[in-house]
Amino acid sequence: MTPRKKRFSLIGLGLAGLGIAVALVLNAFQSNLVFFFTPTQVVNGEVPRDRSFRIGGMVEAGTLARDSDGLTVHFVVSDTVKRVPVVYKGILPDLFKEGKGAVAQGRLGQDGTFIASEVLAKHDENYMPPEAAEAIAKAKAAGQQSSKTLVVTP
Amino acid sequence: MSVTDINWFKYSSPQALYPLAGKLTPWFSALAVILMGAGLYIGLLLAPTDFQQGDSYRIIFVHVPAAWMSMFLYVVMALWAAIGLGLKARPSYMMAQAIAPTGAMFTFLALLTGSLWGKPTWGTWWVWDARLTSELILFFLYLGVMLLRTSIDDARRADRASAVFALVGVVNVPIIYFSVQWWNTLHQGASVSATAAPKMAAMMLLAMLIMSLGFWMYSIAVILARLRCVIREREERSSVAGQVERPVAVGGV
């Protein structure tokens, strides 16, 4: 083997080793790297009880309700398998809508209601003009959703 | 004349590289201006508004190409670093050195435009999700490569050290790319990928692809211009230090 080939194979080996090491580390920290928990994880009790965390999913259509004070909102976050009711007092982002994704930070109350201190809209990867969106909405059966990243595939 | 007739190794010396880079720079600059102008025109004036976000989505015509370039340029830089380490070739190190600032600029641009978009869309300037954090790490990797080089006086040691650093950092690129698939993130998944049909209107996609091409041309132009600076700078340093290295004849300045 020429010195040149040797150097290149050393670089290749080094990179392969590094890649494996990083893959193992990321795998070990898998559960710490998620930005939010899904409603299924919340219902199954896989979430921290005593500290705040984030929950993410689709805002279920027809569940958004506003209290008479005009600030407190109630809605249900769902991943199409499990549902978690959320209560939040504050201003919602512009793109927060029923049937769209949202991520809320807060704690789980005693009664299983998630008390949010911050709500973010999770945008999906679809970009289209309004006319196209209308056409798709008409064509699709009700209840079906567009963002793949929030759906739990059984 | 077929490709094999050209002696490609001719350009592996700084003496030949310097005038070639000078000749190519104006062409790529002109292409960059034309493509970016066309891309912005289509993106800002012709493309339809988005059904959810209205007009604020138009920042993707800068954001997505910038983010692509930030990752792509890092891979190219690491590739040149690997070739430099393997062949002990100085021009490869010079290429890696010339790429780093442009890559850092695009990374910063992607982070900045993403932040400006995040506020009206998500409701926050910044979150520590996997996509955003790994892109920020990419920015620090670029800065690290550049700082490591400037902190070592001996050019050969600086080359090797920053090349190793650049190679180690390349593991971050697939993490950025796949972060939205591997973990729950606030950042949405890819709208455009090699394996699936694009999830955006054709006119939007066209503007984004033209902008990407424009960013490519811009990168090539700027990197070649910087390569010339790097060649001259190194030559001056070596002649001042009175090293045995043969002075490079630089013509046509």
Side-chain angles (χ1 to χ4, degrees):
Chain A
M1 208 196 264
T2 62
R4 182 177 289 179
K5 271 186 191 159
K6 206 172 164 186
R7 281 200 296 273
F8 272 119
S9 33
L10 269 177
I11 293 169
L13 273 178
L15 276 181
L18 189 73
I20 292 167
V22 170
L24 288 175
V25 168
L26 289 179
N27 200 33
F29 286 108
Q30 180 74 29
S31 57
N32 299 60
L33 283 166
V34 292
F35 187 66
F36 55 81
F37 292 97
T38 61
T40 305
Q41 286 173 306
V42 174
V43 172
N44 291 349
E46 294 165 26
V47 292
R49 276 269 154 196
D50 45 353
R51 61 179 179 85
S52 105
F53 63 94
R54 293 191 197 88
I55 179 175
M58 309 303 278
V59 181
E60 207 170 84
T63 61
L64 185 64
R66 205 173 277 274
D67 278 2
S68 52
D69 65 356
L71 266 183
T72 312
V73 285
H74 301 263
F75 55 89
V76 171
V77 167
S78 140
D79 58 2
T80 68
V81 179
K82 294 276 159 63
R83 317 163 70 239
V84 171
V86 178
V87 58
Y88 172 64
K89 187 174 183 174
I91 296 161
L92 292 168
D94 289 349
L95 288 191
F96 183 92
K97 275 192 193 103
E98 289 182 345
K100 295 285 170 198
V103 176
Q105 169 133 34
R107 289 160 183 281
L108 203 57
Q110 293 297 324
D111 57 344
T113 304
F114 189 81
I115 303 147
S117 55
E118 187 188 20
V119 173
L120 303 174
K122 186 185 185 324
H123 184 61
D124 62 41
E125 59 272 29
N126 299 299
Y127 294 82
M128 59 183 112
E131 304 82 47
E134 265 170 42
I136 287 177
K138 274 180 199 160
K140 263 191 183 173
Q144 230 186 345
Q145 44 175 333
S146 45
S147 177
K148 262 193 225 149
T149 47
L150 287 168
V151 183
V152 174
T153 36
Chain B
M1 188 167 63
S2 77
V3 177
T4 45
D5 289 341
I6 307 168
N7 181 11
W8 290 102
F9 286 101
K10 195 178 99 186
Y11 296 112
S12 64
S13 77
Q15 294 96 316
L17 211 54
Y18 190 89
L20 177 74
K23 252 183 275 172
L24 291 178
T25 304
W27 292 101
F28 284 107
S29 307
L31 278 174
V33 170
I34 294 167
L35 285 169
M36 280 157 76
L40 282 179
Y41 176 74
I42 298 173
L44 299 184
L45 296 171
L46 298 185
T49 46
D50 183 60
F51 72 117
Q52 291 179 70
Q53 307 171 51
D55 279 323
S56 68
Y57 91 93
R58 289 180 199 275
I59 205 153
I60 58 163
F61 299 126
V62 177
H63 176 75
V64 174
W68 280 344
M69 285 313 293
S70 72
M71 292 188 280
F72 178 71
L73 284 179
Y74 196 96
V75 173
V76 176
M77 180 178 77
L79 212 62
W80 281 116
I83 293 172
L85 284 173
L87 299 181
K88 294 195 171 170
R90 281 189 313 135
S92 310
Y93 290 130
M94 293 177 185
M95 275 303 289
Q97 184 184 351
I99 289 170
T102 304
M105 189 276 284
F106 276 121
T107 315
F108 182 76
L109 192 64
L111 289 168
L112 181 78
T113 51
S115 183
L116 290 175
W117 178 83
K119 186 62 184 169
T121 313
W122 295 336
T124 179
W125 300 104
W126 181 264
V127 288
W128 293 102
D129 85 342
R131 172 54 75 78
L132 277 65
T133 310
S134 54
E135 181 76 8
L136 185 67
I137 291 172
L138 183 74
F139 183 59
F140 290 144
L141 283 173
Y142 274 121
L143 293 189
V145 169
M146 284 150 68
L147 280 173
L148 191 59
R149 173 178 297 285
T150 49
S151 65
I152 301 173
D153 283 332
D154 179 34
R156 251 174 264 171
R157 282 185 57 223
D159 279 341
R160 276 205 301 272
S162 54
V164 170
F165 188 101
L167 269 177
V168 169
V170 86
V171 287
N172 188 39
V173 174
I175 295 178
I176 299 174
Y177 189 80
F178 291 109
S179 55
V180 289
Q181 292 175 28
W182 289 346
W183 304 293
N184 296 337
T185 54
L186 186 61
H187 195 288
Q188 63 269 32
S191 299
V192 183
S193 73
T195 49
K199 298 180 180 69
M200 59 196 313
M203 192 65 99
M204 301 176 185
L205 186 67
L206 180 72
M208 213 163 83
L209 294 181
I210 291 177
M211 279 301 281
S212 302
L213 269 179
F215 278 13
W216 269 60
M217 297 303 130
Y218 166 84
S219 303
I220 296 172
V222 169
I223 287 165
L224 287 179
R226 193 177 292 117
L227 185 67
R228 278 160 68 91
C229 299
V230 169
I231 292 173
R232 295 206 73 177
E233 202 177 59
R234 289 190 177 211
E235 193 206 328
E236 250 159 52
R237 273 176 74 183
S238 62
S239 60
V240 166
Q243 285 176 359
V244 285
E245 220 171 329
R246 189 163 49 91
V248 178
V250 174
V253 188

